[in-house]
Amino acid sequence: MSRTFLGMPATAPRGVGHLRGEEPFPAAARRGLADPQLRRNLGHATTTIRAKSGAVIGELPDWQALRAAGSAIKADVLARLPELLEQLEAAVTAAGGTVHWAADAVEANRIVTDLVAATGSDRVIKVKSMATQEIGLNEALEAAGIAAVETDLAELIVQLGEDRPSHILVPAIHRNRAEIREIFLRAMPGVDPSLTDDPPALAAAARRFLRETFLATRVAVSGVNFAVAETGTLAVVESEGNGRMCLTLPETLITVMGVEKVVPTWRDLEVFLQLLPRASTGERMNPYTSMWTGVTPGDGPQAFHLVLLDNGRSAVLADEVGRQALHCIRCSACLNVCPVYERTGGHAYGSVYPGPIGAVLSPQLTGVEDNASLPYASTLCGACYDACPVKINIPELLVHLRDQVPHPRSEAAAMAAAAYVMDRPALYAAAQRAARLSRLAGRRGRGLPPPLSGWTIGRDLPQPPPRTFREWWAQR
Amino acid sequence: MVGAAVNGREEVLARLRAARGAQPREPAEVPRDYRPAGATVDLDLLVDRLTDYRATVHRCAEPEVPGVVDAVLGGRRIVIPPALPRRWLPASVTAVTDDNLTTEEIAATDGVVTAAAVAVAETGTIVLDGAPDQGRRVITLLPDVHLCVLRAEQVVAGVPDAVARLDPRRPLTWISGPSATSDIELNRVEGVHGPRNLHVVLLAP
Amino acid sequence: MRIALFVTCLADTLFPAAAEATVRLLERLGHQVVFPPEQTCCGQMHVNTGYSAQALPLVRRHVRTFEPYDVVVAPSGSCVGSVRHQHPAVARGAGDERLAERAEAVAGRTYELSEFLVDVLGVTDVGAYYPHRVTYHPTCHSLRMLRVADRPLRLLREVRGLDLVELPQAEQCCGFGGTFAVKNADTSTAMLADKLRHVLSTGADVCTAGDASCLMHIGGGLSRLRTGVRTVHLAEILAATERDGTTGRTGRTAVRA
């Protein structure tokens, strides 16, 4: 493990959580590419969501102004992050909540596990949360003998299918209705064997399955979409009502929040509540948004704990260019428009944060050396930047991170040689002629050595022209 | 255990200060060029947006409310918040007032009738704020039918209007249509864990 | 108008027909074209692959080469995008604010061909004749970095004899992405396969675009499949006329099957 210095920005520790893949992106991508069912499922789902999102965004005449405001608010948050967190802590505490601070995944898992253990409960219900997936909370709870029940339909599909999430918003996006039916029939206790693959029937099966658990579990764990520093108000944006169940029914609520989720003022929610649903599920508003401030006597959990999580965010903040990745509101619009994601699926990215935002966030949270292939998992086509509701310039970040990645020695040598030649026009012209005459590559480049041979798996090289442009120009 | 000397709070704050640069900044001027609060309310738009997300809308004058409740929940057992106007209820329903009922008792009812705090026309959203005519959050969560009575003056044009009207210190539930999921092939399907049926009674102005 | 041609290293070396066509077209429209021979490469490949330090001398060279000219035109959205968006950043990253300002000044006078024709010269009918069924791929950098929008289409619609057919899912990337095509070859070819399918579905005999790099990629795929569909740079179509007899079958167009 890398050495960390007290009080200095630090990346997320190794050996805990889900920010690092087991293999580089190109290798992991091959599995997704080779799965035609996955490709069809993803193609269908992303096409659907792009159309829905485009339609409801088109209804707003001021979408670009909202994006600009959202981006400016997030930039302001990062500039004042320590002060805003202290303000949030004071407001939550004043409203009857307890605030905990976790420098990394290990500390956060320990804090939550201790809090659950103190209640005496051996089970928690969970509302989908990227932060708790990031830190591997379910595994930590399980090691302490506490069962974590995911209550979001997609998370349930993933949990019952012994699978991994592949999308931020729709973790089971890689599954179609027929596959979901199979999983339910195989793994859902007490399921009706005549279950069809009709989506309302599948949703009803999940409702029946989880109802008892909701009513009987005394502790819930959630993430949070927004936390208002001035009032201590937290907001969870969801669709199914499982979030409301978790936030309302238990006696104890534990919320784990990445520090960047804070927003300065209550009014700021007027921006994000317009941006998030339209960019995310393509709805004018998601079915349910719950907001709570500390503890409300007689209504909802009477014990509330907020865990503020760093886990590499301070390292991201330390990079003046890279920090804009912390603007992310986890809408997953960038995944839905990404031509790379659409073909490889989310598992190829290794981290709980897939797609374009994952390609810039995961390497920064872990340090680029631990996710060195991710900044290259993009053609820099820019569709993600256009789709981002808070205007994260993902292509710029990808290029910025590529500059920090440890480069293969042969590539570095070739790049240095190319730059040397290109800075000397006479050498450059000679190299152009040499390339034309040599035809080293053989017919249409099919004899190229690796890694250049990658080109010719599905493409021919152009035939070198009889003369370069500058030769033509000189002869005019 | 070097780290034990410094608690998590000081450690996280020190890291963030070092990362951001120690100098605290003044709040930035945020460009808010989007449409502000205060636009004219379009009740038809609210109805259109509610219907689009599979809520059932009934428009009537206040004396007609019991008739609507009867049509939706007649013969059923319902839970009501403590200060729900009794004049809204027909004799055909059995109303149980939420006087700290247990979750099991609430779950055993067929429906719930409440008032609302605010509604947003542009998004088809109803917001409950836990006032005595809306009750605890749990009562609108467990029963399968939620009937919500909305006064025309509670309807605002857009999200900024709603945020301005609401008190963040109250527990707030923003509801846009019945419980739904987009988890299966990103198609919206109504009816998962919350009420599967949402009826909105919009009172004539 | 005296126009400096920023030929781009790719067109210079592998696709001179696109660059030659740019010269012929601009001269036909009554302008003087000059070719500063000190130019080589804008450094985009270095920047995009993570070698901005090595790109710095190339940025410096580019700025020095084109600084004397009032107008610079390139037949490439991608390379103009690099000049506009990357050159100042590379200079600033190296702590050279003076170079960054000079790079911004040069970028402010640098245009992609379709932008230059429509915005600066104010023409959409350039007098071209090209009797072929053509589909247009809006390359990502033209589309999203430069926002050339429908300018190329407005130019193509005025070309006599040209039958313009819409490309399905035109705005999806072809999968080139510079070194992406090599580092993530499998994903790249999967993206290309879809692009080729859409190109073939149009029934066009020519696929055009404003970037030789993407055309090299798409053309390489079309060639491998032996489809008979050719890729031709936008400049070549706009330069073609009845008189010169180069109705798209010059000695060598871009990548051909």
Side-chain angles (χ1 to χ4, degrees):
Chain A
M1 198 183 287
S2 60
R3 257 176 52 169
T4 53
F5 296 91
L6 286 180
M8 293 307 288
T11 52
R14 292 177 183 155
V16 57
H18 302 284
L19 286 170
R20 296 165 174 87
E22 281 162 17
E23 53 191 348
F25 182 84
R30 238 165 258 142
R31 259 190 303 282
L33 291 167
D35 182 346
Q37 184 68 54
L38 172 74
R39 294 266 297 275
R40 270 196 299 277
N41 294 353
L42 282 173
H44 171 74
T46 54
T47 306
T48 304
I49 193 74
R50 283 199 297 266
K52 282 175 64 182
S53 181
V56 293
I57 285 172
E59 286 178 2
L60 293 190
D62 53 351
W63 181 251
Q64 295 307 332
L66 286 164
R67 286 179 85 208
S71 179
I73 292 168
K74 286 290 185 177
D76 181 40
V77 165
L78 298 183
R80 299 192 288 133
L81 191 51
E83 294 77 22
L84 290 172
L85 291 171
E86 288 176 300
Q87 194 186 0
L88 175 70
E89 178 191 40
V92 169
T93 307
T98 307
V99 177
H100 309 259
W101 301 70
D104 58 33
V106 178
E107 281 190 27
N109 288 336
R110 182 182 51 72
I111 291 167
V112 176
T113 307
D114 288 351
L115 288 170
V116 178
T119 68
S121 178
D122 61 358
R123 183 173 64 187
V124 299
I125 44 176
K126 284 189 69 201
V127 53
K128 194 177 124 39
S129 134
M130 295 308 298
T132 61
Q133 281 181 37
E134 171 193 324
I135 62 177
L137 178 65
N138 290 7
E139 292 88 333
L141 289 171
E142 201 175 317
I146 299 162
V149 182
E150 294 289 354
T151 64
D152 172 77
L153 177 55
E155 294 287 0
L156 181 69
I157 295 164
V158 167
Q159 206 171 35
L160 293 177
E162 295 174 12
D163 200 355
R164 287 182 302 134
S166 70
H167 190 277
I168 291 173
L169 170 75
V170 201
I173 194 171
H174 55 290
R175 299 292 195 185
N176 65 22
R177 60 185 75 185
E179 294 170 295
I180 294 166
R181 173 176 173 268
E182 290 300 315
I183 291 169
F184 281 11
L185 288 177
R186 194 172 62 237
M188 183 182 275
V191 72
D192 176 0
S194 66
L195 180 68
T196 69
D197 68 359
D198 186 31
L202 295 169
R207 177 184 171 99
R208 276 191 299 278
F209 173 65
L210 283 173
R211 184 69 43 143
E212 273 312 303
T213 308
F214 280 132
L215 296 179
T217 307
R218 289 183 288 122
V219 184
V221 174
S222 85
V224 71
N225 293 95
F226 308 103
V228 180
E230 75 172 344
T231 60
T233 307
L234 304 193
V236 164
V237 174
E238 55 131 356
S239 294
E240 297 167 13
N242 63 309
R244 290 182 67 193
M245 294 277 181
C246 292
L247 301 170
T248 309
L249 295 177
E251 296 160 11
T252 301
L253 172 62
I254 303 164
T255 299
V256 180
M257 163 188 153
V259 287
E260 80 282 13
K261 295 281 168 226
V262 67
V263 298
T265 68
W266 167 245
R267 188 189 173 190
D268 293 329
L269 292 186
E270 75 186 17
V271 175
F272 295 110
L273 289 180
Q274 295 191 73
L275 289 172
L276 180 55
R278 290 180 201 254
S280 183
T281 51
E283 292 165 311
R284 297 183 191 102
M285 191 65 89
N286 50 291
Y288 297 131
T289 295
S290 296
M291 298 177 182
W292 74 98
T293 304
V295 169
T296 305
D299 186 352
Q302 295 301 295
F304 170 58
H305 297 271
L306 177 63
V307 181
L308 300 174
L309 175 72
D310 177 355
N311 204 40
R313 286 160 179 77
S314 54
V316 186
L317 182 64
D319 184 324
E320 284 184 32
V321 177
R323 67 172 56 151
Q324 59 176 309
L326 296 177
H327 290 193
C328 177
I329 56 174
R330 310 283 187 263
C331 73
S332 56
C334 61
L335 279 62
N336 300 333
V337 299
C338 178
V340 174
Y341 176 87
E342 184 177 333
R343 285 162 183 87
T344 66
H347 293 155
Y349 295 79
S351 156
V352 294
Y353 301 110
I357 187 62
V360 295
L361 188 56
S362 306
Q364 294 199 88
L365 290 171
T366 63
V368 287
E369 59 283 356
D370 280 12
N371 269 308
S373 66
L374 288 185
Y376 292 94
S378 165
T379 62
L380 307 177
C381 84
C384 48
Y385 183 24
D386 279 3
C388 179
V390 288
K391 296 174 81 167
I392 301 171
N393 189 338
I394 293 177
E396 177 190 53
L397 282 185
L398 288 164
V399 169
H400 175 72
L401 294 175
R402 289 176 187 187
D403 235 22
Q404 300 170 12
V405 165
H407 295 128
R409 204 184 300 169
S410 58
E411 180 191 277
M415 284 292 180
Y420 182 89
V421 169
M422 285 168 169
D423 198 24
R424 286 159 183 80
L427 259 184
Y428 172 74
Q432 286 180 314
R433 286 192 296 275
R436 185 177 70 236
L437 294 171
S438 67
R439 300 225 170 194
L440 269 178
R443 187 176 166 273
R444 294 291 170 105
R446 285 180 207 185
L448 283 172
L452 296 176
S453 55
W455 177 270
T456 48
I457 59 176
R459 298 156 289 208
D460 288 341
L461 274 184
Q463 287 176 321
R467 59 174 182 222
T468 63
F469 172 81
R470 65 183 64 219
E471 288 170 328
W472 176 81
W473 181 269
Q475 289 161 14
R476 276 183 107 206
Chain B
M1 289 294 283
V2 183
V6 180
N7 69 34
R9 181 179 193 277
E10 295 316 312
E11 174 65 17
V12 172
L13 284 170
R15 286 180 181 189
L16 295 174
R17 282 196 200 98
R20 183 274 314 263
Q23 208 60 15
R25 316 281 167 91
E26 287 304 304
E29 208 45 58
V30 171
R32 295 184 192 266
D33 302 325
Y34 51 87
R35 290 168 302 154
T40 310
V41 177
D42 180 350
L43 292 179
D44 294 335
L45 182 66
L46 173 71
V47 173
D48 178 69
R49 298 285 154 93
L50 281 166
T51 309
D52 194 27
Y53 282 164
R54 304 289 181 276
T56 308
V57 182
H58 313 261
R59 300 182 78 162
C60 65
E62 188 166 5
E64 298 163 46
V65 173
V68 175
V69 176
D70 177 56
V72 176
L73 287 162
R76 319 273 292 274
R77 226 169 140 262
I78 63 167
V79 59
I80 55 169
L84 188 85
R86 291 286 178 151
R87 63 181 181 278
W88 290 350
L89 299 179
S92 61
V93 297
T94 310
V96 187
T97 303
D98 175 33
D99 184 13
N100 279 321
L101 297 174
T102 65
T103 49
E104 288 73 17
E105 287 168 326
I106 296 164
T109 61
D110 301 313
V112 56
V113 177
T114 69
V118 174
V120 184
E122 187 172 86
T123 60
T125 304
I126 295 191
V127 189
L128 309 182
D129 72 356
D133 59 358
Q134 297 153 53
R136 295 190 296 155
R137 287 171 282 175
V138 62
I139 66 168
T140 53
L141 180 57
L142 297 177
D144 207 21
V145 180
H146 178 194
L147 188 148
C148 179
V149 181
L150 192 61
R151 296 194 307 275
E153 65 269 22
Q154 291 176 313
V155 183
V156 298
V159 173
D161 304 86
V163 168
R165 272 205 197 183
L166 291 164
D167 177 357
R169 284 159 192 86
R170 308 184 71 93
L172 302 174
T173 305
W174 298 53
I175 299 171
S176 307
S179 158
T181 181
S182 299
D183 280 348
I184 301 168
E185 300 175 8
L186 277 170
N187 287 312
R188 182 166 162 136
V189 172
E190 276 76 21
V192 197
H193 301 298
R196 286 181 285 195
N197 303 283
L198 176 65
H199 290 262
V200 177
V201 181
L202 177 56
L203 301 184
Chain C
M1 195 181 293
R2 186 159 172 266
I3 300 159
L5 178 70
F6 163 27
V7 68
T8 79
C9 61
L10 190 68
D12 184 7
T13 308
L14 286 174
F15 302 101
E20 292 164 26
T22 306
V23 173
R24 283 202 310 276
L25 171 63
L26 293 173
E27 288 179 347
R28 189 174 79 216
L29 294 172
H31 302 281
Q32 184 198 353
V33 179
V34 293
F35 175 71
E38 305 80 22
Q39 63 179 291
T40 57
C41 167
C42 66
Q44 179 179 195
M45 178 184 72
H46 284 89
V47 176
N48 284 352
T49 313
Y51 295 84
S52 60
Q54 282 84 349
L56 183 64
L58 303 179
V59 171
R60 191 165 278 136
R61 161 171 297 281
H62 185 93
V63 170
R64 196 170 60 228
T65 301
F66 288 102
E67 220 163 21
Y69 301 96
D70 293 333
V71 167
V72 182
V73 172
S76 164
S78 192
C79 301
V80 171
S82 177
V83 166
R84 278 195 206 153
H85 297 280
Q86 295 185 331
H87 281 194
V90 167
R92 289 211 168 87
D96 193 338
E97 184 58 33
R98 176 79 194 101
L99 178 63
E101 286 165 14
R102 290 167 59 205
E104 276 164 355
V106 170
R109 306 194 293 271
T110 303
Y111 301 90
E112 181 272 339
L113 179 63
S114 73
E115 288 179 329
F116 181 72
L117 294 171
V118 175
D119 297 350
V120 181
L121 299 186
V123 292
T124 48
D125 184 352
V126 296
Y129 170 71
Y130 195 80
H132 295 279
R133 192 172 167 89
V134 174
T135 195
Y136 170 73
H137 168 61
T139 64
C140 300
H141 289 174
S142 294
L143 188 70
R144 302 193 186 91
M145 273 177 104
L146 299 188
R147 310 274 176 205
V148 303
D150 67 343
R151 290 175 183 81
L153 290 171
R154 284 158 66 192
L155 290 160
L156 286 169
R157 282 188 203 112
E158 301 290 340
V159 174
R160 275 169 284 290
L162 189 146
D163 176 16
L164 185 63
V165 282
E166 192 182 333
L167 180 63
Q169 297 193 30
E171 299 193 353
Q172 273 235 354
C173 177
C174 73
F176 175 60
T179 42
F180 178 84
V182 175
K183 284 179 183 280
N184 283 285
D186 298 288
T187 309
S188 173
T189 45
M191 293 164 69
L192 177 62
D194 291 337
K195 181 60 70 181
L196 297 180
R197 187 164 47 81
H198 292 310
V199 169
L200 295 176
S201 77
T202 64
D205 40 55
V206 168
C207 174
T208 191
D211 271 289
S213 51
C214 308
L215 287 176
M216 174 171 79
H217 189 234
I218 296 169
L222 290 169
S223 161
R224 175 61 61 89
L225 295 178
R226 303 178 183 283
T227 58
V229 180
R230 292 172 299 135
T231 46
V232 176
H233 194 282
L234 177 68
E236 295 175 73
I237 293 177
L238 298 180
T241 62
E242 285 99 330
R243 267 185 301 129
D244 62 18
T246 63
T247 54
R249 275 264 177 214
T250 45
R252 187 181 174 284
T253 59
V255 178
R256 321 185 250 131

